[in-house]
Amino acid sequence: MQGFDGFMWLLSTAFTLFSGFALIDAAVHREDAYRAVDKKTKVFWLVVLGLAFVVSLFFEILSFLPIIGLVATIVYMVDVRPALRGLPGGGRSRRGGGSSSDGPYGPYNGGR
C-alpha cells in the first residue's frame, strides 16, 4: 500500500502543477486574444482553471471534483492555448511595446 500511496501523491502533485501552469498561462494572455479566437473569455478560463487548481489542492485525485478539474485543464491546454499561441505575438500581454491603437492583428491604420 505504501507504493500506491506514493504513486497517488505523485499523481496529485503532477495534477496540481499542471493546473497551476495552465492558470498562469491563461493569466498572461490578453483579454482580446480570447475574443479573437472565439474561446469564451479570459475571466471564464481564469475562474475555471482557478477552481481546478484549488480543488487539486484540497481533494484527493480519485474524487469527482478533481477529475472534472483535470478535464477542464486538458481542454484549455489542447484547445484554447494552441489557438491563443497561433495569434500574432502569441496573444501575450505587451510590456512597453506597441501603441494604444494596436489591435489583436497589428496596428490600426484608420482604414487606409
Side-chain angles (χ1 to χ4, degrees):
M1 286 308 280
Q2 189 175 13
F4 181 73
D5 287 340
F7 175 73
M8 293 308 293
W9 177 83
L10 186 63
L11 194 62
S12 178
T13 303
F15 171 53
T16 302
L17 292 174
F18 183 57
S19 62
F21 172 78
L23 179 63
I24 291 169
D25 186 71
V28 298
H29 290 288
R30 298 187 324 255
E31 171 65 35
D32 60 340
Y34 288 88
R35 290 190 308 265
V37 296
D38 198 26
K39 301 289 182 185
K40 297 286 185 189
T41 63
K42 181 176 184 173
V43 173
F44 172 83
W45 283 110
L46 288 176
V47 168
V48 168
L49 295 172
L51 288 173
F53 181 72
V54 169
V55 163
S56 72
L57 289 174
F58 293 111
F59 290 92
E60 293 182 19
I61 190 69
L62 292 178
S63 300
F64 187 67
L65 289 176
I67 293 173
I68 293 173
L70 180 60
V71 169
T73 303
I74 290 171
V75 166
Y76 175 81
M77 293 298 286
V78 301
D79 184 37
V80 179
R81 185 173 188 251
L84 292 172
R85 291 177 60 102
L87 289 175
R92 300 229 178 223
S93 297
R94 282 178 244 159
R95 295 178 196 233
S99 84
S100 62
S101 65
D102 285 354
Y105 302 109
Y108 178 71
N109 63 6
R112 291 178 260 164

